[in-house]
Amino acid sequence: MSHASSAVEGQRPGHGDAHGHAHSAEHAKYSFLAHHFETPAQQFDSAKLGMWLFLATEVLFFGALFVGYAVLRSRFPEVFSYASHYLDTVMGGINTGVLILSSLTMALGVYFAQRGKKLALIICLWLTMAGAAGFLVIKYFEYSHKIHAHLVWGPTFYIPPHDEANAAANLGQAPVAPTTAAAAVAVVPIAGTPAVDASVIRPANAGPAGISPSAADHSLAATGDIIPHEMPEAHLADPAMPPNTHLFFAIYYAMTGLHGIHVVIGMVVIGMLIYRATRGDFGPNYYTPVDLVGLYWHIVDLVWIFLFPLFYLIH
Amino acid sequence: MSHTDHSTHSADHGAHAASHAADHPLVGHLVPVRILVSTAMALLVLTVITVAVRYIDIGEFNIWVAIGIAVVKAALVATFFMHLKWDRPFNVLVFVGCVLFVVLMMAFCVLDTSQYRDTQYTGNAPLAQETLDANAPGAPIAQQKTDINP
Amino acid sequence: MTTIEAPRHDILDTTATGDNYLTHSRGFLSWALTLDHKRIGVMYLVAVLGSFLLGGVFALLLRTELLTPGRTFVDADTYNQFFTLHGAIMVFLVIIPSIPAALGNFVLPIMLGAKDVAFPRLNLASFYLWIGGALFTLYSLAVGGFDTGWTFYTPYSTTTTTGGVIPVLMGVFILGFSSIFTGLNFIVTIHKLRPPGMTWFRMPLFLWALYSTALIQVLATPVLAITLCLLIVERTLNIGIFNPTMGGDPVLYQHFFWFYSHPAVYIMIVPGMGIISEIIAVHAHRHIFGYRFIAYSSVAIAMFSFIVWGHHMFTSGQSGLMNTIFSLISFSVAIPSAVKTFNWVVTLYKGTISLTAPMMYGLAFLFLFTIGGLTGLHCATLATDVHLHDTYFVVAHFHYVMMGSALIAMIGGLHHWWPKMTGRMYHEGTAIAACVLVFIGFNLTFFTQFMLGSQGMPRRYYDYQPEFQTYHVISTIGAYVMAVGFVTTAVCLIQSLISGKRAPANPWGGASLEWQCASPPRHDNFEHQPTVGDCYNFAPVVWDEKLQGYVVDRALDTDMPHASHGSHSHGGGHS
């Protein structure tokens, strides 16, 4: 096969029929090589670049929420300092450690896939999955405790959890029938704010800033960092609570919730990897899906690395 | 890569792959286990440091120290766990670039809101105050006005 | 021995046997589950043009309502729905996907010399995501529509009681991912699937434009996605981050929204500019002037587009500091666009201009984009924008750039690549007549709106002062003239499918790779790997009487070394 003339086209010679021959030889040797790629290296590089671009979109997706966080925190630093006390640093710290270790096991999984060690790969994938599950379990406890204590977003943040009628009404259920005729407050309906009949609502408490004097005894100011397990209404009882504290919880649930959704998606995808790994799909020649899922999992870890200090460790 | 016959090159490559099939990937880079484990250890140590720093009061620099440590941790994850150290520079550019865009958006938005912060009530607007009086008796309704005319 | 590289039998073979990407396989599933980028492009084209029809109908409805002050035939709430739907459909279903997804999908791999895009299955997924988004949008129409304006500004979007808001937000969310995946695919394709010889600076400018657009798609669209999520959450859960009574900030919503939506308008125009580079060079048979400048300016526009979003918010309550910064940077973003416009005009100078339909669209683009771009400067100037914001001046400006430029470029590109995609030639006279009709109608519609706006007529208004009526009537007449023009285009193109002349591989004399494969292309694009040369060097492109089309004769190639060496054999030489 002559090659000399091909220089005139400004390409590497050896193409034409030789190229076609080499092309099909590569495809015959590597069953995973798609028809539009020439070599496994090209396919792998493309997959990697594609994954990094997708991760860039994830960074921008979370990043916008980080921007929201930054704007809210710059406007209400006192809200963030105050409300951060309601987050359990220990649980958050454990979660951080769990994610770091699951990142390690994921990276080790990629290593073992590259070396063709199928059993080690599967074990690492299961460990990663376990780490993810552990993270979600701890998250579940954190969330359920907060929701029980009514540390939630929006106007319902200000409804004491014991106030059943109010709480139910505010959760969108039918308001309780009025027992007394009370002056209705002119309420401009905001979408999502359920209509509440003023008559079912307790009269506003007396006292400074509308807080009843007895509730002020449960002030959090002196206790600092304690999680108010025993005092679910503590946040409402604390005269030091700044206005707009609900915004902290809005952004907290938005960011950690979105992160949690990504952890769940990660678990699903790792599960698929385990299935394929068990089938023997991966080895030194082809381990791209393991590598790409690993990249995804590390981004999930990365996001948490920023979320942890920003929410749990506010001074 | 020489420009000789592709078929022999592929044969060489195949032989190469065959001899290393057991423990060397065809594509990509094999990161030794010790690097991965030491990265994880470093990350855990940095996490402990971050938590510890939170209890030291250095005023408004706390957040920057926390973010700084987080950036170091992120760099470790990206460089070693995500193999960027041995990857194509363009992938590094993609990652660094998208972070820069987030920072850009953040800078402009925070700069903007900080400019009109002084003109805003930190409490609740009067209408919200009325609403919360009725619906949420426990809500903090203290309104701190600034000196600027309402 | 001649050194014609694209062997003639390649072209003749395919048309003789009739095997091309359209006939390669048959049946609904062969289209519904296709991985062929060309078929996906065609499906997108049909879908996008269908959406254009729907969006256009809403435009005609709203312009008809505006014939008289007060009620003409609908009430104000319905009118609000008309302009909202017109905007949302045109922006999200038509203009953003049109050039990249419909034309780009078809042309990019062939122009690059690749067999397909990097991720064909992702490409198909992008298409189905578009379909999903479109279905959600249609569903939102069925459950009450939405009247928030396509910008969904809070607090109205969080409080309006029209039932279609959340479905359309979800629909746009899904469309965003369609856009992201298309962009991702294109970036990887251009980086990794360039064949040997196709260096970055040998790529046609349309590919540079698609690449720059893809960068924007990947970086900006996720922010839109999260913005829409936050809107949905705000509406359903009332978290209050955009609600001032709850400590939130409605201007924050606008920051979030425009951080995407300004780069989005460059997603709309930059591919159009790429098409114009192709059309002008090919139909003037002249090397594009300033290739590198145009290439660099495409990327520059993509990057600059991210730092000017605040110019949509000058009167929103944004701080004076940011107003000034954004105004200043917005002036600079005009520079790369101006560079391109100068280069196109200089390309025409001393060219052999063929007044084909694509060239007519190209010339229309030059005129309309100049007006649109320059009036953008009026809007970017802080002091004048205080007067012009939310008036018809802005409406006219963005229609000149979005419709008069991006859409015109798209239709010009459609005519330019129509023979390649369908293997048919359309009737040139009809196509040119339609172009002229659209051009006249467009100017009637929108030039008057500059006057309306500068005299104070606000946008999105159902009712208006009687003194504006004459302008509105002219504008509406223009809209109907445009409609006739577009219908004529449709008829012309559809008729070509039925009875159009068979197209040669290279009807216009282009030198880029897509003109070296058959019309329509084979299933795998090229029978032999094509030769990569300077895609704007038309010296070797000569008319072949027998084929009734152009061919590339490398013997005439002035910038290839050893061009006259004819001693190699056929088998080993090319590809």
Side-chain angles (χ1 to χ4, degrees):
Chain A
M1 196 66 59
S2 100
H3 306 289
S5 54
S6 322
V8 74
E9 287 88 43
Q11 325 170 46
R12 283 191 224 130
H15 291 271
D17 291 357
H19 168 81
H21 181 72
H23 177 90
S24 10
E26 290 281 298
H27 281 84
K29 191 188 321 179
Y30 300 114
S31 56
F32 56 83
L33 187 58
H35 78 282
H36 54 288
F37 289 112
E38 301 298 314
T39 64
Q42 187 190 36
Q43 180 170 301
F44 180 74
D45 271 347
S46 303
K48 272 259 188 163
L49 175 58
M51 193 63 195
W52 273 107
L53 289 167
F54 176 69
L55 295 182
T57 67
E58 291 279 16
V59 168
L60 265 297
F61 197 58
F62 276 99
L65 282 180
F66 276 101
V67 171
Y69 172 95
V71 167
L72 286 174
R73 185 161 169 183
S74 77
R75 288 181 63 205
F76 303 116
E78 69 284 354
V79 164
F80 280 70
S81 302
Y82 174 87
S84 175
H85 292 143
Y86 288 97
L87 300 185
D88 187 344
T89 310
V90 172
M91 281 177 139
I94 293 175
N95 261 350
T96 310
V98 163
L99 272 189
I100 289 173
L101 289 173
S102 74
S103 256
L104 173 65
T105 53
M106 188 73 226
L108 286 172
V110 174
Y111 171 85
F112 289 124
Q114 287 174 310
R115 295 205 47 200
K117 308 225 180 288
K118 177 172 146 184
L119 183 61
L121 162 65
I122 294 173
I123 291 174
C124 283
L125 289 175
W126 275 114
L127 286 174
T128 312
M129 181 97 98
F135 178 90
L136 289 175
V137 163
I138 297 176
K139 224 64 260 83
Y140 167 77
F141 282 120
E142 283 190 278
Y143 274 17
S144 61
H145 172 265
K146 278 194 198 47
I147 290 171
H148 179 73
H150 245 276
L151 295 168
V152 291
W153 57 83
T156 54
F157 176 76
Y158 297 108
I159 309 300
H162 291 336
D163 198 332
E164 301 294 334
N166 239 353
N170 270 293
L171 287 170
Q173 292 151 30
V176 176
T179 52
T180 60
V185 176
V187 176
V188 173
I190 299 172
T193 304
V196 179
D197 193 311
S199 60
V200 304
I201 299 160
R202 309 200 296 254
N205 290 328
I211 305 294
S212 66
S214 60
D217 291 341
H218 296 293
S219 162
L220 253 186
T223 51
D225 221 358
I226 295 178
I227 304 159
H229 296 285
E230 316 81 21
M231 305 181 294
E233 296 167 19
H235 62 293
L236 287 179
D238 184 356
M241 177 169 81
N244 297 321
T245 305
H246 63 269
L247 287 174
F248 174 87
F249 290 99
I251 196 74
Y252 169 76
Y253 284 108
M255 295 188 79
T256 55
L258 185 66
H259 179 261
I261 291 172
H262 279 79
V263 172
V264 171
I265 294 172
M267 287 181 72
V268 169
V269 176
I270 292 172
M272 287 162 59
L273 273 188
I274 292 175
Y275 170 72
R276 287 190 70 182
T278 317
R279 246 180 18 181
D281 283 0
F282 304 127
N285 278 359
Y286 179 72
Y287 61 93
T288 313
V290 186
D291 203 335
L292 299 189
V293 171
L295 288 177
Y296 172 82
W297 191 249
H298 294 309
I299 280 285
V300 169
D301 183 25
L302 241 166
V303 171
W304 182 260
I305 282 174
F306 281 94
L307 285 182
F308 177 56
L310 289 179
F311 281 106
Y312 289 80
L313 301 179
I314 300 173
H315 186 74
Chain B
M1 184 183 304
S2 80
H3 289 269
T4 49
D5 190 358
H6 264 225
S7 53
T8 55
H9 177 261
S10 325
D12 282 345
H13 192 72
H16 175 86
S19 66
H20 287 90
D23 62 358
H24 201 76
L26 177 66
V27 291
H29 181 274
L30 193 69
V31 180
V33 172
R34 58 181 163 74
I35 292 186
L36 297 174
V37 172
S38 30
T39 308
M41 293 298 117
L43 286 168
L44 290 171
V45 165
L46 283 170
T47 308
V48 170
I49 293 177
T50 314
V51 174
V53 165
R54 176 239 181 278
Y55 292 101
I56 306 170
D57 185 0
I58 38 176
E60 62 169 77
F61 288 105
N62 263 102
I63 181 172
W64 297 111
V65 170
I67 290 179
I69 298 179
V71 166
V72 171
K73 288 164 82 177
L76 283 172
V77 171
T79 312
F80 296 108
F81 280 169
M82 299 173 89
H83 301 190
L84 273 182
K85 184 170 193 295
W86 303 276
D87 206 345
R88 298 202 177 272
F90 189 71
N91 293 347
V92 180
L93 179 64
V94 167
F95 180 62
V96 171
C98 67
V99 171
L100 284 178
F101 275 94
V102 174
V103 170
L104 169 85
M105 185 184 175
M106 198 180 291
F108 276 42
C109 287
V110 172
L111 190 55
D112 186 42
T113 55
S114 67
Q115 291 290 305
Y116 51 75
R117 193 188 316 160
D118 291 341
T119 63
Q120 292 180 317
Y121 294 118
T122 51
N124 295 308
L127 179 61
Q129 182 165 334
E130 267 179 55
T131 311
L132 289 170
D133 275 346
N135 295 355
I141 53 178
Q143 191 148 244
Q144 297 118 38
K145 280 193 194 156
T146 62
D147 290 333
I148 305 213
N149 294 333
Chain C
M1 146 98 74
T2 82
T3 54
I4 294 175
E5 290 312 331
R8 301 196 187 199
H9 69 77
D10 183 25
I11 304 153
L12 291 172
D13 257 6
T14 321
T15 48
T17 63
D19 182 45
N20 54 60
Y21 78 99
L22 292 167
T23 57
H24 183 76
S25 53
R26 297 191 186 275
F28 174 77
L29 281 182
S30 77
W31 281 85
L33 296 178
T34 182
L35 295 180
D36 182 356
H37 66 95
K38 301 180 288 297
R39 286 192 170 193
I40 293 175
V42 168
M43 291 197 290
Y44 261 116
L45 186 66
V46 171
V48 161
L49 292 177
S51 309
F52 180 60
L53 174 64
L54 186 60
V57 163
F58 281 115
L60 289 176
L61 286 170
L62 75 89
R63 280 264 34 110
T64 310
E65 168 55 42
L66 288 170
L67 275 173
T68 68
R71 183 190 168 99
T72 308
F73 71 108
V74 291
D75 64 4
D77 283 333
T78 312
Y79 171 78
N80 291 348
Q81 297 232 11
F82 284 166
F83 71 70
T84 305
L85 287 161
H86 166 71
I89 290 174
M90 287 303 200
V91 167
F92 293 115
L93 286 174
V94 180
I95 301 219
I96 284 178
S98 63
I99 300 176
L103 293 177
N105 259 321
F106 190 98
V107 174
L108 185 148
I110 306 180
M111 223 185 210
L112 196 62
K115 291 194 175 68
D116 207 323
V117 290
F119 308 119
R121 285 175 298 187
L122 189 66
N123 207 6
L124 186 66
S126 285
F127 175 70
Y128 281 114
L129 285 172
W130 186 98
I131 295 286
L135 287 175
F136 266 95
T137 308
L138 290 175
Y139 173 71
S140 81
L141 288 181
V143 292
F146 49 104
D147 56 352
T148 58
W150 79 275
T151 47
F152 300 112
Y153 275 10
T154 55
Y156 187 67
S157 59
T158 45
T159 59
T160 180
T161 50
T162 48
V165 178
I166 290 184
V168 74
L169 290 175
M170 296 187 62
V172 177
F173 180 88
I174 296 171
L175 286 166
F177 277 96
S178 169
S179 187
I180 289 173
F181 290 144
T182 301
L184 196 157
N185 228 333
F186 284 2
I187 294 177
V188 180
T189 308
I190 290 179
H191 268 275
K192 301 291 181 191
L193 263 66
R194 275 175 293 120
M198 179 63 85
T199 61
W200 279 92
F201 291 102
R202 281 235 185 106
M203 286 200 311
L205 288 167
F206 184 45
L207 297 185
W208 275 98
L210 285 174
Y211 179 73
S212 310
T213 308
L215 290 175
I216 309 177
Q217 282 173 300
V218 165
L219 288 171
T221 319
V223 177
L224 175 75
I226 201 71
T227 308
L228 300 173
C229 285
L230 285 174
L231 257 191
I232 294 177
V233 168
E234 179 87 353
R235 244 184 109 77
T236 50
L237 300 178
N238 197 16
I239 57 174
I241 53 166
F242 300 135
N243 184 352
T245 61
M246 290 176 65
D249 185 0
V251 178
L252 182 65
Y253 169 80
Q254 294 190 29
H255 277 299
F256 272 54
F257 179 81
W258 287 112
F259 185 84
Y260 163 74
S261 297
H262 186 78
V265 312
Y266 290 95
I267 296 176
M268 300 174 201
I269 190 65
V270 170
M273 292 170 162
I275 291 184
I276 296 302
S277 295
E278 299 303 320
I279 288 178
I280 299 248
V282 170
H283 294 265
H285 306 282
R286 194 135 155 74
H287 197 296
I288 193 82
F289 182 84
Y291 171 92
R292 287 208 180 209
F293 273 95
I294 299 184
Y296 287 135
S297 69
S298 299
V299 181
I301 291 175
M303 294 297 108
F304 266 79
S305 68
F306 280 93
I307 47 179
V308 295
W309 77 86
H311 66 223
H312 299 268
M313 297 162 58
F314 284 151
T315 62
S316 65
Q318 185 173 244
S319 62
L321 173 68
M322 295 316 294
N323 276 354
T324 314
I325 292 176
F326 280 124
S327 177
L328 199 62
I329 306 177
S330 298
F331 274 84
S332 64
V333 82
I335 296 173
S337 305
V339 163
K340 289 184 186 228
T341 312
F342 286 132
N343 284 352
W344 292 320
V345 172
V346 175
T347 305
L348 285 173
Y349 178 63
K350 286 199 178 163
T352 319
I353 301 175
S354 314
L355 284 178
T356 54
M359 175 54 90
M360 296 295 286
Y361 279 102
L363 294 174
F365 177 97
L366 288 176
F367 183 83
L368 298 173
F369 180 65
T370 305
I371 295 179
L374 289 176
T375 52
L377 290 171
H378 289 67
C379 300
T381 314
L382 264 180
T384 58
D385 189 66
V386 172
H387 177 65
L388 297 174
H389 181 77
D390 267 347
T391 66
Y392 265 78
F393 193 94
V394 177
V395 175
H397 156 69
F398 69 67
H399 279 92
Y400 265 84
V401 280
M402 281 165 62
M403 185 179 192
S405 309
L407 191 82
I408 290 288
M410 191 258 177
I411 299 184
L414 188 61
H415 283 77
H416 181 65
W417 283 300
W418 186 263
K420 181 60 55 183
M421 293 170 76
T422 61
R424 302 283 187 154
M425 300 298 289
Y426 47 83
H427 186 257
E428 196 72 49
T430 317
I432 293 178
C435 174
V436 171
L437 269 177
V438 166
F439 182 79
I440 293 174
F442 181 87
N443 281 302
L444 275 177
T445 311
F446 293 110
F447 203 82
T448 50
Q449 292 187 7
F450 282 127
M451 277 95 120
L452 270 175
S454 58
Q455 288 174 30
M457 164 88 200
R459 64 184 286 199
R460 293 176 169 170
Y461 268 40
Y462 169 74
D463 193 1
Y464 54 85
Q465 298 290 329
E467 74 221 41
F468 293 130
Q469 184 170 13
T470 316
Y471 288 126
H472 274 293
V473 170
I474 298 174
S475 187
T476 304
I477 292 173
Y480 278 98
V481 171
M482 261 202 294
V484 171
F486 285 125
V487 169
T488 312
T489 308
V491 166
C492 170
L493 291 176
I494 292 173
Q495 189 178 41
S496 79
L497 293 174
I498 302 167
S499 59
K501 203 176 69 165
R502 292 232 172 246
N506 196 348
W508 312 122
S512 42
L513 293 184
E514 78 271 25
W515 304 111
Q516 293 185 44
C517 70
S519 298
R522 292 160 49 98
H523 172 71
D524 54 357
N525 298 345
F526 296 98
E527 185 177 339
H528 302 270
Q529 188 76 10
T531 315
V532 181
D534 180 350
C535 57
Y536 296 109
N537 178 14
F538 299 105
V541 181
V542 293
W543 177 259
D544 184 303
E545 202 51 46
K546 191 167 112 194
L547 288 174
Q548 283 292 297
Y550 289 84
V551 290
V552 175
D553 184 351
R554 288 288 165 212
L556 301 173
D557 205 334
T558 49
D559 56 14
M560 282 302 194
H562 315 298
S564 52
H565 272 198
S567 53
H568 60 86
S569 65
H570 168 266
H574 57 83
S575 79

